[in-house]
């Protein structure tokens, strides 16, 4: 195994190990600070992070506003206060070692306001700003204003080319690194393009080599590329280390830090990780962001898949084969479906899926009455946690705060489910894990097979980094 040496990143020499950012109370100050203290770059998520009361208890993020706009302002306030609290914890825990980064989704609602608020409230405490889930053109401008390094997350050389030519060339001196997040292997939201097959993963090496070639053309020979997604044992990536074609490479770990003593996720989540088998993590496109995302294939995802499978096209008037009348809703408003689809509908209704919900694509999805009530209630309770949301039709970019489309019942309230899974406790926690979104990289099944975790061993962050540094 080649020696794993420090890399110059963000103006200092650090271990080439980055903790990946995981939103909504998962990448906390305790975890990020411990990672930095061990010599790497720890990452605090400032996506609706937890803040604390005077007794040190997390403040529940409860919304009281009567309108979406009012609730959105509450959400921004929660996010800024929580981000500041977690960054301060990370800074204190790091003890001046490593680097403390902050991570945010560009498509988070009012992301720029949250970034500004957190950076203003933590002056001198954040060393780098990481951002993806969209095309964060203004990331360099925000980072430059506050004197911090920035780390855009991309899934291809083409994406970085667009960012560089539009904005980043103006702030090259603060570009701390470029995160290549593999769209097939990384956990959470991924950047698969419409031309890429979600069922056909590509080898990351040629994609990263193309990114480095592009960066060299911009004079970024020594700017590190951070490989994110699918990294487990570094001996499996030995040919990437000290590779002249790739240049400086850093490795990001998002899934493995979930199973540490400092990780804040519920014990039921940690227990579930140790039982996963290969194939248990599912790359899906149900997210209200419109992006693909990688998560544990539990009953929550199975229900979402079932909604889309119980779906038929309809016409508001008889057209072609859509000539059979069907009544929708309590008022039985008439639409027209095909005879074959009506037969399918009757089968679903006999199974208890009696409620038909309209989608923006002129289709009907069939769910149970309880599910229909929950979907509608979640849509009504929207707090604008995304810049645009397919599920609720919220948009921060229009005067009406609507994207102009019908809300899509095939998706879900991402804020609700991520808050639930991050804070589950007590006897029912395992059930909460099964009925909510559990993000994870596609390699999460390796917890069950890696001898490091034998007999349920859960390491500290320091022990995990020491193990990673052996290459095994």
């Amino acid at each position: 195994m080649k020696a794993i040496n420090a890399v110059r990143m963000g103006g200092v020499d650090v271990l080439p190990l980055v903790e990946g950012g995981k939103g909504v109370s998962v990448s906390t100050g305790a975890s990020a600070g411990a990672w930095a203290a061990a010599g790497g770059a720890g990452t605090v998520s400032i996506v609706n992070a937890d803040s604390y009361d005077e007794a040190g208890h997390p403040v529940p993020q409860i919304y009281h506003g009567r309108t979406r706009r009012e609730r959105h302002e509450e959400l921004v306030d929660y996010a800024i206060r929580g981000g500041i609290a977690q960054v301060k914890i990370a800074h204190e825990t790091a003890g001046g070692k490593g680097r403390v980064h902050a991570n945010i989704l560009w498509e988070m609602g009012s992301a720029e306001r949250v970034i500004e608020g957190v950076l203003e409230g933590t002056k001198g405490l954040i060393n780098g700003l990481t951002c993806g889930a969209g095309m964060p053109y203004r990331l360099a401008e925000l980072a430059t204003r506050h004197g911090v390094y920035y780390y855009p997350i991309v899934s291809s050389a083409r994406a970085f080319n667009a960012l560089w030519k539009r904005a980043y060339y103006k702030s090259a001196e603060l570009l701390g690194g470029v995160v290549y997040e593999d769209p097939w292997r990384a956990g959470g939201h991924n950047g698969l393009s419409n031309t890429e097959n979600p069922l056909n993963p590509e080898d990351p090496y040629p994609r990263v080599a193309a990114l480095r070639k592009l960066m060299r053309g911009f004079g970024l020979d020594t700017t590190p590329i951070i490989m994110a997604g699918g990294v487990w044992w570094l001996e499996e990536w030995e040919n990437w280390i000290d590779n002249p074609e790739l240049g400086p490479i850093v490795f990001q770990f998002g899934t493995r830090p979930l199973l540490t003593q400092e990780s804040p996720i519920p014990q039921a989540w940690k227990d579930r990780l140790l039982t996963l088998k290969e194939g248990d993590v599912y790359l899906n496109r149900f997210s209200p962001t419109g992006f693909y995302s990688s998560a544990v294939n539990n009953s929550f995802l199975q229900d979402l898949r079932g909604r889309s499978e119980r779906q038929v096209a309809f016409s508001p008037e008889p057209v072609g084969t859509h000539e059979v009348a069907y009544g929708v809703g309590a008022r039985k408003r008439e639409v027209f479906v095909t005879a074959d689809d009506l037969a399918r509908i009757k089968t679903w209704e006999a199974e208890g899926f009696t409620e038909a919900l309209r989608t923006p694509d002129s289709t009907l999805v069939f769910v149970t009455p309880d599910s229909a009530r929950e979907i509608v209630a979640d849509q009504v309770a929207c707090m604008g946690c995304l810049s645009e949301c397919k599920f609720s039709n919220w948009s921060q970019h229009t005067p009406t705060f609507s994207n102009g489309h019908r809300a899509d019942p095939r998706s879900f309230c991402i804020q609700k489910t991520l808050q639930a899974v991050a804070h589950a406790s007590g006897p029912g926690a395992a059930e909460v894990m099964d009925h909510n979104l559990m993000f994870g990289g596609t390699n999460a099944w390796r917890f069950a097979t890696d001898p490091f975790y034998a007999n349920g061993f859960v390491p500290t962050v320091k022990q995990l980094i020491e193990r990673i540094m052996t290459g095994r």
Side-chain angles (χ1 to χ4, degrees):
M1 178 68 198
K2 292 179 182 176
I4 303 168
N5 299 313
V7 170
R8 192 77 176 172
M9 187 172 70
V12 300
D13 292 336
V14 294
L15 294 179
L17 308 177
V18 172
E19 177 197 12
K22 298 167 286 295
V24 186
S25 308
V26 175
S27 290
T28 61
S31 175
W35 196 279
T43 304
V44 173
S45 170
I46 57 174
V47 179
N48 296 109
D50 283 340
S51 56
Y52 305 98
D53 60 24
E54 293 181 357
H57 300 127
V59 176
Q61 295 191 12
I62 299 171
Y63 297 87
H64 304 283
R66 292 190 301 172
T67 67
R68 289 182 176 184
R69 180 61 177 167
E70 290 172 349
R71 293 191 293 271
H72 179 70
E73 291 302 311
E74 293 177 74
L75 176 133
V76 172
D77 182 61
Y78 279 133
I80 292 173
R81 286 192 286 133
I84 291 171
Q86 297 301 333
V87 169
K88 288 181 176 179
I89 292 170
H91 177 75
E92 293 169 5
T93 305
K97 299 178 181 178
R99 299 275 89 179
V100 172
H101 293 174
N103 173 264
I104 193 168
L105 280 76
W106 191 246
E107 293 303 326
M108 176 186 172
S110 294
E112 292 185 48
R113 290 174 58 196
V114 174
I115 291 170
E116 291 274 17
V118 173
L119 289 175
E120 282 290 339
T122 59
K123 290 183 178 180
L125 306 186
I126 293 175
N127 306 120
L129 186 60
T130 306
C131 189
M135 290 293 281
Y137 293 109
R138 285 173 46 78
L139 177 63
E141 179 183 336
L142 292 167
T144 301
R145 189 179 306 154
H146 293 272
V148 301
Y149 288 90
Y150 63 102
Y151 298 81
I153 301 173
V154 301
S155 59
S156 67
R158 183 176 64 178
F160 182 72
N161 184 52
L163 291 168
W164 176 265
K165 289 184 175 179
R166 177 165 171 178
Y168 292 178
Y169 72 93
K170 302 175 185 177
S171 304
E173 70 282 358
L174 285 177
L175 180 63
V178 178
V179 182
Y180 168 77
E181 186 175 73
D182 190 84
W184 292 277
R185 296 167 179 82
H189 289 108
N190 296 339
L192 275 172
S193 72
N194 292 331
T195 62
E196 292 166 334
N197 185 348
L199 302 178
N200 185 28
E202 295 181 14
D203 181 356
Y205 186 96
R207 296 169 69 92
V208 173
L211 175 59
R212 173 60 72 193
K213 182 179 180 180
L214 176 74
M215 291 171 62
R216 285 195 171 111
F218 300 145
L220 303 173
D221 304 63
T222 60
T223 301
I225 294 176
I226 302 165
M227 173 61 207
V231 183
W232 196 267
W233 296 328
L234 289 186
E235 64 181 6
E236 298 171 333
W237 301 79
E238 188 172 8
N239 67 317
W240 288 52
I241 299 171
D242 295 329
N243 184 319
E245 183 179 23
L246 298 181
I249 289 289
V250 174
F251 297 96
Q252 179 168 302
F253 295 83
T255 299
R256 288 195 75 173
L258 289 172
L259 197 57
T260 62
Q261 293 181 27
E262 292 88 348
S263 170
I265 66 173
Q267 186 59 47
W269 192 343
K270 295 180 179 180
D271 293 342
R272 182 77 176 94
L273 289 172
L274 289 167
T275 68
L276 295 176
K277 301 182 294 297
E278 189 169 6
D280 279 354
V281 175
Y282 175 66
L283 192 61
N284 66 89
R285 202 168 190 176
F286 301 123
S287 173
T289 62
F291 297 121
Y292 278 91
S293 69
S294 179
V296 175
N297 188 20
N298 57 10
S299 67
F300 180 80
L301 283 189
Q302 291 160 17
D303 175 66
L304 287 169
R305 193 158 56 245
R307 289 186 205 173
S308 289
E309 290 170 351
R310 293 187 301 274
Q311 182 173 196
V312 300
F314 73 89
S315 172
E317 56 188 33
V319 176
T321 58
H322 289 75
E323 58 185 4
V324 182
Y326 179 74
V328 177
R331 297 182 182 180
K332 297 299 179 185
R333 292 179 175 172
E334 193 172 74
V335 298
F336 294 87
V337 299
T338 68
D340 287 345
D341 282 344
L342 182 63
R344 297 166 68 205
I345 290 170
K346 296 301 182 184
T347 299
W348 296 332
E349 289 179 336
E351 295 171 348
F353 302 105
T354 56
E355 297 296 312
L357 302 178
R358 299 179 188 233
T359 78
D361 299 322
S362 296
T363 64
L364 302 173
V365 295
F366 288 80
V367 298
T368 65
D370 286 346
S371 182
R373 284 189 288 270
E374 182 179 13
I375 289 168
V376 173
D378 288 347
Q379 290 171 334
V380 170
C382 173
M383 72 293 289
C385 71
L386 301 172
S387 63
E388 292 210 25
C389 177
K390 292 170 55 180
F391 176 68
S392 69
N393 86 0
W394 159 271
S395 172
Q396 71 183 38
H397 305 301
T398 67
T400 60
F401 302 106
S402 168
N403 62 18
H405 301 290
R406 179 181 293 274
D408 196 336
R410 295 168 294 189
S411 189
F412 58 92
C413 176
I414 196 165
Q415 180 72 203
K416 174 188 172 183
T417 188
L418 292 182
Q419 290 286 356
V421 79
H423 297 100
S425 62
E431 185 175 0
V432 173
M433 293 300 119
D434 193 46
H435 295 297
N436 285 281
L437 186 68
M438 292 177 62
F439 279 142
T442 54
N443 264 348
W445 61 272
R446 297 183 71 169
F447 284 118
T449 60
D450 190 327
F452 184 54
Y453 302 96
N455 301 315
F457 174 66
V458 177
T460 63
V461 167
K462 184 174 184 293
Q463 288 171 324
L464 174 58
I465 286 185
E466 288 173 347
R467 178 71 170 197
I468 290 171
M469 288 293 289
T470 68
R472 300 190 300 276

